[in-house]
Every structure is written in C-alpha cells, then in structure tokens.
Amino acid sequence: IFSLSFLLTDTGWITPKLLRGVGYAFLAAMTGVFLYYSGVAVGKMIGGASLGSVTGNTFDPRHHAYTAIYLAVALAFIYNELHDRWSEMHRWLRAVMIAVVPLLILYIIIVNSRAGMLTLYIIEAACVVHFALTRRRWWWAALMAVLLAGYTFGMEKALPTHQERVVETIADLTSDEPSDARVEINGGSLDAVKKQPLIGYGVGDYRRCLVDQYDENGWAYGVGAEVNAHNQYM
C-alpha cells in the first residue's frame, strides 16, 4: 500500500533539498550511534574487557550486515556531497564530513561484517575512479586511494578477529568439512535449485525442501535448525 501510494499521489514534495536533509539526519544518527557504542566499549575495556571481546555483535547488537549496509549508504552520501557541493559548503562542514569518514569505516570494521568490508572496498575504489575521471586530478585521486587503503588495512590489522573470519571463509570454500555453517547452507540451497531450476518448490515449501536437502547431504545441523540460504535469489 505504501509503495502504491507513490503511483497514485503527487510526489512533488520529494525534492532534492528534502532528500539531502534526510541524508544529513541519517549521517548524524549513524555517527551518534557509533560514538555511543564506542563509549560503552571503552567503559567495558576500562572494566577489564579485551579489545576483541567488545567488537562484533557485542559492539552493536544489531545484525552486523545490516549495520554495514547503513554505513555504506552514509559513506556514499558523504562522497556525493563533497564531490558535488564542495565549493558551496562551509569549511567547518567540509571538515566535519571528512572527519566522519574514518569513524564510519572503523565502525564497519569493528562490527566484523565480511559483506560490509567487501562493500567498503568497492565503494572506495568506485569513489577514487569517479573522482579521477570527473575532476581530472589524478594525483589527488592517488593520494585519496593510498590514504583510504592504508587506514582501512591498518584498522583491520588492529582487529585480528576480522581477518580470521575472512581467512576462515576462504578456507571453507575449498574444504570438505567447512566450519562456517553458511557454506553448507548455500551449498545445500544450490543443490536444491539444480533439481528444480525453472519452477522451484512453491510458496511456503522451501523450508521442508531445504531440510530434505540437508538430510540428503548428511548435514545434521541443518536438519534440526531448518535454516535458509540468507539469499533471496536462491
């Protein structure tokens, strides 16, 4: 109903100025949330907790993949604003937005999202290439790439648990006995898809189908948990 309302009503009120206002409010909210959880994490560490114990789901209780998506949108908004409105912006606003960038990148790394890191690398590369092509300032683009890459890899190095998850994922993809359940989940889902590639299994029947497939593959955990592929296309 909400989607259809856009087809049946006048949407002239959705102006670029309004969307930019929403973008700034969203950016401020994500930055505020990061600072709040950072304070909580620092408090835990003062109480004796280790750095590794306050990262991941213990840093932000929301699902890390969704949090990373929000942060990726915020970073893309920052780049768009700085690129398109640099000459119009006050100096203090430029400084604030540039300062927020490393905070949001650090946020993605701390919540330990592999999908978020992959998205971050894609955004960083796209922004550097776009800046070089549109501004024709190749040295600035190269410097921006070096700074972003150096900061990102440096922060990842400081949080070894994230690197361990990435390494484990790569190892699982080539292992007969993967430690990450999602490798088995997606493998079983693909096996099921191959049997019914055109018409699928019907609405509401996918869980039973997946359980049967997990049983056929000899994956005991999936039989009891009835977990799905976490992938709507599959």
Side-chain angles (χ1 to χ4, degrees):
I1 293 175
F2 180 74
S3 302
L4 287 174
S5 67
F6 284 91
L7 296 177
L8 304 175
T9 60
D10 179 16
T11 57
W13 56 273
I14 305 178
T15 62
K17 184 177 180 179
L18 174 64
L19 293 177
R20 288 181 56 247
V22 172
Y24 275 105
F26 178 72
L27 179 59
M30 294 306 300
T31 305
V33 168
F34 172 72
L35 294 176
Y36 169 76
Y37 285 133
S38 295
V40 173
V42 170
K44 291 179 180 178
M45 293 177 68
I46 292 175
S50 64
L51 176 61
S53 66
V54 298
T55 60
N57 292 335
T58 56
F59 181 82
D60 186 336
R62 295 171 299 181
H63 195 290
H64 50 260
Y66 298 131
T67 297
I69 290 173
Y70 305 149
L71 294 168
V73 171
L75 287 168
F77 173 75
I78 290 175
Y79 175 77
N80 186 71
E81 280 292 288
L82 292 176
H83 183 273
D84 293 348
R85 301 175 60 81
W86 179 269
S87 59
E88 304 172 27
M89 299 172 70
H90 294 289
R91 291 182 178 180
W92 66 266
L93 182 56
R94 295 180 198 163
V96 169
M97 295 191 75
I98 292 174
V100 166
V101 170
L103 297 182
L104 298 188
I105 293 177
L106 179 60
Y107 196 172
I108 292 178
I109 296 171
I110 288 179
V111 297
N112 212 0
S113 170
R114 288 168 290 191
M117 288 305 305
L118 176 60
T119 303
L120 176 60
Y121 292 142
I122 293 173
I123 288 179
E124 288 181 355
C127 288
V128 169
V129 172
H130 181 261
F131 181 84
L133 293 177
T134 57
R135 296 293 183 177
R136 303 292 180 182
R137 296 178 179 177
W138 303 98
W139 284 108
W140 281 99
L143 177 61
M144 184 168 69
V146 170
L147 290 175
L148 287 173
Y151 173 78
T152 302
F153 287 115
M155 289 298 98
E156 278 198 88
K157 198 69 175 178
L159 295 169
T161 55
H162 184 273
Q163 288 187 325
E164 290 171 5
R165 290 192 72 206
V166 174
V167 171
E168 287 174 0
T169 300
I170 296 173
D172 280 343
L173 294 175
T174 58
S175 172
D176 294 331
E177 297 183 0
S179 60
D180 192 326
R182 272 179 276 193
V183 176
E184 292 275 15
I185 294 171
N186 284 275
S189 300
L190 287 172
D191 289 337
V193 168
K194 292 174 183 177
K195 297 177 182 177
Q196 296 275 17
L198 297 179
I199 62 175
Y201 294 89
V203 178
D205 300 335
Y206 73 96
R207 286 191 182 275
R208 185 69 255 168
C209 155
L210 290 176
V211 170
D212 291 341
Q213 187 64 54
Y214 298 147
D215 188 30
E216 181 181 324
N217 291 4
W219 188 40
Y221 172 78
V223 174
E226 297 190 11
V227 288
N228 62 65
H230 279 61
N231 186 310
Q232 300 304 325
Y233 294 102
M234 286 198 289

